Amino acid sequence: QVQLVQSGAEVKKPGSSVKVSCKASGGTFSSYAVNWVRQAPGQGLEWMGRIIPILGVANYARDFQGRVTFTADKSTSTAYVELSSLRSEDTAVYYCAGGITTNYYMDVWGKGTTVTVFS
Amino acid sequence: QSALTQPASVSGSPGQSITFSCTGTSGDIGSYNLVSWYQQHPGKAPQLMIYEVNKRPSGVSNRFSGSKSGNTASLTISGLQAEDEAAYYCCSYGDRSSLVFGGGTKVTVL
């Protein structure tokens, strides 16, 4: 089964941007949608949106529209999330989670990438 | 879209059955059989336990079951075991191809 390998932890200053990657290992994104989910310290899960890599089509949760961009490189089976204008409230673990395109559940998860926004 | 509503915590003794709810609206749970449940142990990534209301992925114990009535979905854990102690999150498909999570329920095995 496909595994999702995420990039390492990041420490960023307020106002800057961060880009987190998620690479499919042992397979490709051919039939998958990649969701991005974040979890602030001690808090619950928050869905940010998803991208279908083979189509390049993305949809964003309302709370993230305008500040988040999902992209994907089909040639390397890698998806990315970029979050701009970082503020302290964006400090969280960011997960990528895959699921078959036509399904709305996530059966493969990355281990998460910790992003710390710190001045 | 507002988060789904879950009880903050539920507890039970080993061997018991527990059931906890996830309440949404007619715009999400009430309109779609697209409710999923995720288990998360501390410091770990979530794991899919139930999808499409009551289906179990391969490898998930049949002690876990899901159901739905109206705008409320439920997860039941039968024969509670120590390893079931974790946070559980419900998730539903909603308006405009979006997903929404519940706030999570912490299950404690006494």
Side-chain angles (χ1 to χ4, degrees):
Chain A
Q1 187 180 5
V2 171
Q3 293 184 328
L4 301 178
V5 180
Q6 297 188 230
S7 50
E10 302 266 9
V11 179
K12 294 290 183 179
K13 292 193 181 301
S16 66
S17 297
V18 67
K19 193 170 185 177
V20 175
S21 68
C22 170
K23 181 175 173 60
S25 172
T28 69
F29 283 141
S30 59
S31 57
Y32 267 70
V34 176
N35 296 265
W36 289 95
V37 176
R38 79 175 185 182
Q39 186 171 36
Q43 302 300 308
L45 303 175
E46 183 177 24
W47 185 75
M48 301 173 66
R50 74 175 201 163
I51 184 169
I52 300 175
I54 59 167
L55 300 177
V57 173
N59 62 301
Y60 300 92
R62 191 177 309 167
D63 289 350
F64 294 94
Q65 283 179 353
R67 206 163 64 91
V68 169
T69 304
F70 303 141
T71 55
D73 183 339
K74 290 180 289 186
S75 67
T76 61
S77 292
T78 303
Y80 302 88
V81 57
E82 184 167 20
L83 184 59
S84 60
S85 302
L86 289 169
R87 37 201 189 231
S88 58
E89 308 91 270
D90 294 318
T91 293
V93 177
Y94 289 76
Y95 294 102
C96 60
I100 299 296
T101 304
T102 52
N103 296 336
Y104 287 91
Y105 56 87
M106 296 157 275
D107 57 358
V108 182
W109 290 70
K111 292 185 184 301
T113 296
T114 299
V115 174
T116 304
V117 183
F118 178 66
S119 58
Chain B
Q1 191 159 4
S2 300
L4 307 175
T5 301
Q6 298 183 240
S9 63
V10 170
S11 61
S13 299
Q16 281 188 327
S17 291
I18 59 172
T19 298
F20 46 96
S21 62
C22 169
T23 301
T25 68
S26 58
D28 38 63
I29 292 177
S31 291
Y32 307 99
N33 289 324
L34 295 173
V35 178
S36 51
W37 291 89
Y38 301 86
Q39 177 192 65
Q40 187 182 34
H41 288 109
K44 300 294 187 182
Q47 176 188 349
L48 178 69
M49 304 301 285
I50 295 287
Y51 66 97
E52 294 173 357
V53 177
N54 56 15
K55 299 176 182 176
R56 271 189 313 276
S58 174
V60 171
S61 170
N62 59 9
R63 298 185 298 104
F64 292 85
S65 61
S67 62
K68 189 189 92 165
S69 177
N71 297 339
T72 299
S74 298
L75 180 70
T76 297
I77 308 175
S78 305
L80 199 61
Q81 298 180 1
E83 67 209 46
D84 301 332
E85 186 161 295
Y88 292 83
Y89 295 91
C90 60
C91 181
S92 177
Y93 178 83
D95 296 335
R96 297 183 298 165
S97 300
S98 65
L99 293 176
V100 59
F101 281 100
T105 296
K106 174 72 169 70
V107 169
T108 300
V109 181
L110 300 172

